[in-house]
Amino acid sequence: MLALENIAFGLIVFCLAVYALTGGADFGAGFLSLFLRGPRAKEERQLITRAMTPVWEANHVWLIIVVVLLFATFPKAFSAISTALFLPLLLVLLGIILRGAAFVFSAYGSESSSRWWNPIFGLASGFTPFMLGVVIGAVGSGQIHLDPEGHPTSDLGAGWGRLFSIAVGLLTWALTASIGSIYLLLETNDDSLRAPFRKMAFATTILFIALLWLTLGTSVMDMSSYPPLPSLRLESSGLTFLIMSTVGAAILWSLRTGRYQRARILTVFQILMLVWGWGSFQHPFLLYPNLSIANAAAPMSVLKPILTIVLVGTIFLVVPAFGFLYYIFKKDTFRS
């Protein structure tokens, strides 16, 4: 029987996966708007706006659940992470806020104001997932050290300033750009509108595969602080990355043959593999070597009610609400 703290960790991984599948596509679509040129650029930006408008704010619910779960079920880890990674987390929050404001002003403002807000929206849409990936990389880097009372003792920039964390940030950014472009292919039946997104899907998928192996290479250099775990971790990561690279090749073939629905299904599988790989790489630690999932967990008197509320709320409220939202606004894209 699974311990409650492992269920809590599994829920965090699950919500991160859903956020990558939904919010990640919005970030990627926003970033790609920077590269739209030509006579139909305005229509292409309108396509991005129509695709994002019904769901882009709602998708942040999954990130909120992650933060709440971490705060309530692993308070020691929440305290250490939010202290050691204060600056990159602040940049993530600022990026989310700036991106949201820029999207509203560019979508509903005057044409003259949109000229200013469109590039801000695109840049914030690329910068935010990059910094979020840097944070995730830093958490898994093994470079955030704690004193006996659980306070970080590392220098500013430890963990998130390392090559491995930067590589994870770039990988996250490329992933969002890839899924954003692939999702957009199913938002219209106009092949001329699809054309730039199809090219972007090719380019970003190839970039994602390249960054996969760059990330693995940097992990080999940076994970020397993980004995006796590195051989097992890197072997597991290498197998996961090999599977994802194979899936990436299948995505490229699906794009080439115009099977966009298959490309999206494969992309979903690829994201689930990536997040599962991160979770298995991280387990059984939240912050190596000081905080394991077991010793960082809140007491049973907290875990039981929190997990009950989150599970019941997610299963009976959040998931049905999202299902209805996507059925109303996105049902046609699943039939394409």
Side-chain angles (χ1 to χ4, degrees), residues 163-210:
L163 184 59
F164 173 70
S165 300
I166 301 300
V168 175
L170 290 172
L171 181 67
T172 306
W173 159 74
L175 175 66
T176 61
S178 176
I179 62 176
S181 56
I182 291 172
Y183 282 18
L184 285 169
L185 291 172
L186 294 167
E187 294 288 341
T188 179
N189 292 319
D190 187 335
D191 287 335
S192 62
L193 275 180
R194 280 175 168 169
F197 300 115
R198 185 170 180 266
K199 293 178 182 178
M200 292 175 184
F202 266 105
T204 53
T205 301
I206 292 172
L207 179 60
F208 173 74
I209 295 171

Side-chain angles (χ1 to χ4, degrees), residues 67-310:
V67 174
V68 170
L69 277 172
L70 187 62
F71 172 77
T73 60
F74 300 105
K76 293 179 182 178
F78 180 87
S79 175
I81 291 170
S82 59
T83 302
L85 303 177
F86 171 78
L87 182 56
L89 285 171
L90 177 63
L91 292 175
V92 169
L93 291 175
L94 290 175
I96 290 174
I97 294 169
L98 183 60
R99 174 181 174 272
F103 176 68
V104 172
F105 285 124
S106 64
Y108 302 106
S110 63
E111 187 170 344
S112 59
S113 67
S114 295
R115 294 174 184 174
W116 291 95
W117 288 109
N118 281 334
I120 294 174
F121 168 61
L123 289 171
S125 295
F127 175 76
T128 305
F130 167 74
M131 288 308 304
L132 188 57
V134 167
V135 169
I136 293 172
V139 169
S141 70
Q143 300 301 318
I144 300 175
H145 303 294
L146 309 178
D147 63 22
E149 296 181 356
H151 302 133
T153 59
S154 308
D155 295 332
L156 181 66
W160 64 271
R162 296 183 68 89
L163 184 59
F164 173 70
S165 300
I166 301 300
V168 175
L170 290 172
L171 181 67
T172 306
W173 159 74
L175 175 66
T176 61
S178 176
I179 62 176
S181 56
I182 291 172
Y183 282 18
L184 285 169
L185 291 172
L186 294 167
E187 294 288 341
T188 179
N189 292 319
D190 187 335
D191 287 335
S192 62
L193 275 180
R194 280 175 168 169
F197 300 115
R198 185 170 180 266
K199 293 178 182 178
M200 292 175 184
F202 266 105
T204 53
T205 301
I206 292 172
L207 179 60
F208 173 74
I209 295 171
L211 287 171
L212 272 176
W213 294 102
L214 174 64
T215 303
L216 182 62
T218 58
S219 70
V220 173
M221 293 184 288
D222 270 5
M223 291 298 145
S224 58
S225 59
Y226 266 102
L229 299 175
S231 59
L232 176 61
R233 287 170 179 265
L234 295 179
E235 181 181 346
S236 174
S237 299
L239 178 60
T240 302
F241 285 14
L242 180 62
I243 294 172
M244 286 190 291
S245 298
T246 304
V247 174
I251 291 172
L252 291 173
W253 179 253
S254 298
L255 292 171
R256 180 179 174 83
T257 56
R259 297 177 180 180
Y260 303 131
Q261 190 68 263
R262 178 183 294 179
R264 177 162 67 175
I265 293 171
L266 289 170
T267 299
V268 169
F269 176 74
Q270 190 178 55
I271 293 170
L272 294 177
M273 279 293 299
L274 181 63
V275 179
W276 173 83
W278 171 80
S280 62
F281 178 88
Q282 196 71 33
H283 194 273
F285 292 98
L286 292 173
L287 284 175
Y288 183 87
N290 303 101
L291 288 181
S292 68
I293 292 172
N295 66 28
M300 290 296 114
S301 59
V302 174
L303 286 176
K304 287 181 180 179
I306 289 294
L307 290 178
T308 300
I309 292 170
V310 171

